Amino acid sequence: MAPIAQRPRGTQDLLPDDQPYWDAMRHSAQRLASSRGYQRIETPIFEPTELFTRSAGETTDVVNKEMYTFLDRGGRSMTLRPEGTAPVVRAYFDGGLFTERQPVRLFYLGSFFRYDRPQAGRFRQFHQFGVEVLGAGSPRLDVEIIALAWQWFGELGIKGISLQLNSIGDSACRPGYRAALLEYFQPYISTLPADDQARFRRNPLRLLDSKEPQTQELREKAPRSVQYLCRECAEAFDGVRAGLEKAGIRFTLNPWLVRGLDYYTRTAFEYWHESLGGAQNSIGGGGRYDGLAAELGYRDTPGTGFALGLERTAELLRQSGPAVYAMTVTADAGLRERIVQVASGLLQAGLAVEVDTSDDDFGGKIKRAARRRARLDLIGRLAEDGSPMIGLRNMSSRNERTLDPADDVQRLVCSELTSSGIQR
Ligand code: HAM
């Protein structure tokens, strides 16, 4: 008999093998954000549709093509949240957070929904780690959040990320830039592919991140937003660049970075990773959205934030394997307990740790660790004299150290990772 249901297209099951990566991402996000004064917020999975049409923008792909919208039994139009910024802004006002000391620093971990064409790295249900800082407009806060995401990638041991940065101005200077773009592209527009003609009509800024070679060639000589910034926006952008330089965070100025949601003002940024490839190389993004609160009918309130995609980050983690593969190859209950304790400490520290609790023999477990591409094996076993010991094996150098279970094993594992360049 055929099964009666299949997993919906664009969704995935997170199986036990996936969990070490997801645990590492979530623990690390929670720990980093909380230690920097960010408080957790959770908003509903669905919201009134208007919240998203008004914030993301009527002309964006997210609103036009990708929303899961339905009428509830009371005939109200509801939408599964495609993103978290507008709901958090709504909750900031609904929950009275605007009366607290400003700025308010918030973070979230949760699932989001976009009816996109599924492909590698693109899902219809996906997860984000996001932060929003509301109630202050200082460029220092843009630097703070950019650095926070940077630290998260660092803690997870992900290398090869590039930070793309741009400023797209605000309601004072963007109209001038928009007009300049309209004028520049107008003579060529009938020669462009139909999709880009439509983008041009909806929002000329959208042409800048077109994937069409012809449009990409044209944009080389197009006016750039940074040339059109008003004094306030230009100063803010100087502040962001100087802050990043001071923090030692390298960035690439990208005049074509315009983001796929309409609420951004001034700073816009994305984190790219080349191994994700193609259209899905953005592992996260964000920026400032000083006009969003007013657009939603609330008091004018500046804000800045980012969201990082957990599916894409998990893929990068999977490509390099878990940081630690922990096992015991003896029935010694105390040692088993010690290994589990160390593993959970490492997990809390944001490392991807897999604990092998199978009944396999030593050879079987070691083979599985290699197949999973673990960087370190942590092996609880008995020494020749029968006393319990922990082996710490570096899988690339093949060196093994012997540790006493009473040692500070967690610290020794971390320093082994650092000294072998696996972790920050
Ligand atoms: P976004 O660029 O639309 O920004 O999404 C952020 C990240 O979520 C992307 O870089 C990607 O990693 C992940 N993502 C988006 N769509 C999908 C998908 N269909 N499948 C898998 N991953 C996906 C926002 O959502 C803004 N709310 C970010 C923000 C926060 N701006 C200010 N505050």
Side-chain angles (χ1 to χ4, degrees):
M1 198 177 80
I4 58 159
Q6 285 186 336
R7 185 162 48 78
R9 237 164 86 73
T11 65
Q12 63 174 347
D13 299 312
L14 297 177
L15 299 171
D17 274 0
D18 299 306
Q19 295 300 333
Y21 306 112
W22 286 78
D23 281 343
M25 292 189 292
R26 291 184 179 124
H27 282 302
S28 178
Q30 260 161 335
R31 212 175 35 75
L32 266 178
S34 321
S35 69
R36 282 157 182 73
Y38 288 71
Q39 294 174 295
R40 181 141 188 188
I41 184 160
E42 291 180 72
T43 61
I45 294 288
F46 60 92
E47 299 265 3
T49 301
E50 233 205 330
L51 180 68
F52 302 112
T53 49
R54 281 298 285 275
S55 56
E58 305 263 10
T59 64
T60 57
D61 282 353
V62 169
V63 165
N64 269 306
K65 305 191 203 153
E66 298 172 6
M67 294 213 301
Y68 276 92
T69 298
F70 58 96
L71 287 183
D72 72 7
R73 286 173 188 269
R76 288 167 290 253
S77 179
M78 295 287 165
T79 292
L80 299 185
R81 58 183 189 185
E83 65 103 36
T85 309
V88 167
V89 171
R90 182 200 51 63
Y92 166 88
F93 287 100
D94 276 357
L97 301 180
F98 63 94
T99 62
E100 293 177 5
R101 234 179 95 128
Q102 306 295 304
V104 172
R105 292 177 167 81
L106 302 165
F107 79 95
Y108 50 91
L109 281 159
S111 43
F112 296 86
F113 306 84
R114 295 184 193 176
Y115 193 83
D116 216 336
R117 198 164 48 82
Q119 50 181 278
R122 202 197 271 169
F123 296 88
R124 291 185 173 167
Q125 176 177 355
F126 60 97
H127 298 76
Q128 291 182 339
F129 159 41
V131 309
E132 311 293 348
V133 183
L134 289 154
S138 164
R140 270 205 311 276
L141 295 170
D142 299 359
V143 176
E144 175 183 305
I145 61 165
I146 290 173
L148 178 59
W150 204 249
Q151 281 152 357
W152 186 68
F153 294 129
E155 270 214 351
L156 294 171
I158 297 176
K159 302 212 169 65
I161 290 185
S162 82
L163 168 61
Q164 306 285 315
L165 183 72
N166 195 14
S167 172
I168 54 171
D170 64 4
S171 56
C173 52
R174 182 132 16 104
Y177 177 52
R178 204 185 141 96
L181 278 181
L182 279 171
E183 193 182 320
Y184 172 80
F185 280 112
Q186 189 64 58
Y188 309 103
I189 205 67
S190 57
T191 69
L192 294 182
D195 258 10
D196 276 0
Q197 297 195 21
R199 282 163 158 247
F200 178 76
R201 278 191 298 276
R202 287 202 299 266
N203 178 357
L205 269 77
R206 277 281 114 67
L207 277 190
L208 298 176
D209 63 357
S210 163
K211 300 279 179 288
E212 297 288 346
Q214 192 193 344
T215 314
Q216 291 193 346
E217 203 184 311
L218 261 181
R219 75 181 181 189
E220 287 298 326
K221 294 210 172 72
R224 303 182 171 201
S225 57
V226 287
Q227 302 162 329
Y228 287 78
L229 298 181
C230 57
R231 194 169 55 80
E232 288 78 6
C233 286
E235 279 174 14
F237 197 40
D238 287 345
V240 172
R241 292 200 315 264
L244 289 174
E245 272 156 19
K246 196 161 156 224
I249 297 177
R250 300 226 330 250
F251 55 86
T252 304
L253 289 179
N254 182 342
W256 321 131
L257 187 78
V258 290
R259 307 275 302 132
L261 302 155
D262 273 354
Y263 48 64
Y264 291 103
T265 51
R266 298 189 173 171
T267 316
F269 61 89
E270 281 184 9
Y271 300 94
W272 289 2
H273 197 286
E274 72 282 353
S275 82
L276 291 169
Q280 265 48 255
N281 62 358
S282 176
I283 185 168
R288 185 158 275 292
Y289 46 88
D290 293 344
L292 177 56
E295 187 62 38
L296 294 176
Y298 300 111
R299 194 173 71 190
D300 217 1
T301 305
T304 188
F306 66 65
L308 311 175
L310 299 193
E311 279 72 11
R312 294 179 194 176
T313 309
E315 181 51 33
L316 294 177
L317 291 176
R318 226 187 327 258
Q319 282 171 13
S320 50
V324 178
Y325 196 91
M327 64 185 89
T328 31
V329 289
T330 153
D332 187 302
L335 195 52
R336 270 176 191 252
E337 216 168 281
R338 179 73 180 121
I339 289 286
V340 169
Q341 184 193 37
V342 172
S344 89
L346 291 166
L347 204 68
Q348 301 289 336
L351 292 176
V353 182
E354 199 165 333
V355 186
D356 187 334
T357 53
S358 72
D359 291 332
D360 273 6
D361 60 8
F362 183 50
K365 284 179 174 163
I366 286 286
K367 263 198 211 129
R368 188 154 343 104
R371 257 205 318 274
R372 307 277 291 137
R373 281 176 295 175
R375 265 88 48 88
L376 294 182
D377 282 356
L378 194 64
I379 310 156
R381 62 162 167 252
L382 299 181
E384 270 169 21
D385 66 1
S387 59
M389 57 160 271
I390 294 178
L392 178 59
R393 187 184 289 195
N394 186 318
M395 297 307 283
S396 50
S397 67
R398 300 272 152 191
N399 286 339
E400 183 167 335
R401 293 161 64 186
T402 305
L403 313 178
D404 189 313
D407 287 344
D408 186 348
V409 179
Q410 186 176 327
R411 191 180 55 76
L412 293 168
V413 169
C414 287
S415 64
E416 178 70 31
L417 284 167
T418 311
S419 63
S420 50
I422 296 172
Q423 220 215 350
R424 184 173 49 101

